[in-house]
Amino acid sequence: MTRLRHLLAFGVTSFVFGLAAQAQEAPATPPAATAASSAALADFAAYVDATRQQFDVPGIAVAIVKDGRVVMEMGSGVRKLGDPAKVDAHTQFAIASNTKAFTAASLAILADEKKLDMNDRVVDRLPWFQMSDPYVTREMRIRDLLAHRSGLSLGAGDLLYWPATTYTTEEVVQRLRHVPLANSFRAEYAYDNILFAVAGLVIEKVSGLPYAEFVRQRIFTPLGMTESRINAPARIGPSDDVAIGHAKFDFKDLKPVEPMSWSNNEAAGGIYASVHDLAKWMNAQLAGGTYTDAAGKEQHLFSAARQNEMWSLLTPIHIPEPSVPELKATKPNFSGYGEGWFVSDYRGHKLVWHTGGWPGMVSRLTLVPDLKLGIVVLTNQETGAAFQAVTMRALDAYMDAPKTDWIAAYAAAVKKSQANADDSMKKHEAARAKGAKPSLPLDGYVGTYRDPWYGDVVVEKQGGKLTMRFAKTAQLTGTLDPWQHDTFIAHWNDRSLNGDAFVNFALDPDGKVREVRMEPVSPLTDFSFDFQDLRLAPVEASN
């Protein structure tokens, strides 16, 4: 989940990779598919490969289900640049925030068994749970944990677990009491991940099982999802069919990124899975929570009533204009979030969907309930344009829509996004007092600074330069380069993060640092870098 985003900033396409495609499709499109959809999907493998090449994605896997059957499972490209191993339908990718639907389903299972009620107060299940506002603490219900309407700001608290930190899940949730609220409770939508950590602890408390074990026993095993796991990097073997993520280092050079083990918020985004397994998950969802067991008997994962609740709009989402005219047709008539799912519409059909982002991997899973249609697209590069273009092509095929060049449409969106980022940096450069030097000698900025919810950030002097180190986050270590006056730019040593930040030291009347504030340099930086929420104050040296 790194980037734990629900909508992803498009990366710039600087060059095209010529990787050979390997497509594996089901032997035939089942009779349930219309002739129009069959014709529209005739060149689908070639289209996926063209999408992959246009947006510099080493590997893509896709599965489509219709009327309870698998229409297509395929892979295109490679698991890792420089390695000939191909992506296929069984290659496991990090599905990141698509995990949230599994967390919602886990709570639905427990609710069906009368072990909890979705309207239970969180404090009645976790008495030590605490938000920064007493009213919100008292009134927060289990359902609220899944709906992004808590009053927290976008991505609030994400730095507690991403990039990977040494905090435990319990420590993450305990620190929630210090994360400030930006809005009124249940007043508006703002995507968060931290409350899914709370939901995971509720599942553990009620079921008596670790979150990962509960999902394995109650969802993976019944559905036969043998190619799915949680916190996969800690368990990957050399012969495993697992994709490696790729990122544009400094927004330019595509390279593999190190796999991330992430155990302190598994319920928000910890699952790795193949499209082969996710086809089983989609069919169970589209069947109202039912599946057929090994003996051929119909079973219920969760009730249709619970599914209806998960797919009902709880939190409305403002609908902006598409970023480019080419995407006009994608603008929905309604948009919102239910319990672990986005809900919106396209061409008169309700969509139930989610996306996910992880270091070097992004994905989208889309359900169309009235068509009994499911589409999942997994990729090993950090651009949402690829999964959007593939998803839209498949949706159009089953809605008998005019064929649209979605590759070109999303390429236009990528180009505009990059142009906006370039303009933002030009404005910073224009406002910069280029001759302005730091007010203090570098030693004057050295020290340990503490934020109430994150903890300690250390500024040191090494080799005549300042460095910054987040005490609980190994990846957030880098150099502080002067920008102007008492503002520096933190250039992280790990250039795959694309999260460089302005660091401003505010001085008191005596010329000593009173507070440190931070904010991302680029608008393309993922929102999970919630630097702007930090309020860093000097820690007085002990006597």
Side-chain angles (χ1 to χ4, degrees), residues 166 173 472:
T166 57
V173 174
K472 296 289 186 177

Side-chain angles (χ1 to χ4, degrees), residues 37 161 179 184 195 220 272 279 293 307 312 406 419 478 512 531 536:
S37 65
Y161 36 80
V179 179
S184 297
L195 292 180
F220 291 169
Y272 270 63
D293 65 15
Q307 184 184 68
S312 294
W406 292 113
K512 293 184 177 181
F531 296 130
L536 294 160

Side-chain angles (χ1 to χ4, degrees), residues 157-162 165 167 172 175 179 194 264 453-454:
D158 280 359
L159 285 171
L160 288 169
Y161 36 80
W162 182 85
T165 71
Y167 287 120
V172 166
R175 286 181 170 271
V179 179
I194 196 167
N264 55 4
W453 59 266
Y454 173 81

Side-chain angles (χ1 to χ4, degrees), residues 14-15 17 19 55-58 81 245-249 251-256 380-382:
S14 56
F15 53 91
F17 286 91
L19 301 173
F55 298 113
D56 295 347
V57 182
L81 285 177
H246 298 76
K248 294 283 186 75
F249 284 55
F251 298 108
K252 294 182 294 184
D253 301 323
L254 188 68
K255 301 177 185 178
N380 61 353
Q381 212 268 72
E382 294 180 354

Side-chain angles (χ1 to χ4, degrees), residues 489-538:
I489 291 182
H491 292 288
W492 309 116
N493 296 339
D494 185 342
R495 304 310 298 160
S496 72
L497 296 177
N498 293 323
D500 289 351
F502 288 116
V503 181
N504 179 256
F505 294 84
L507 308 184
D508 67 17
D510 296 324
K512 293 184 177 181
V513 177
R514 175 174 54 199
E515 185 183 52
V516 180
R517 296 283 189 98
M518 300 178 65
E519 62 181 84
V521 171
S522 172
L524 296 180
T525 292
D526 191 274
F527 69 70
S528 287
F529 285 108
D530 53 327
F531 296 130
Q532 68 281 351
D533 293 330
L534 297 171
R535 300 293 182 265
L536 294 160

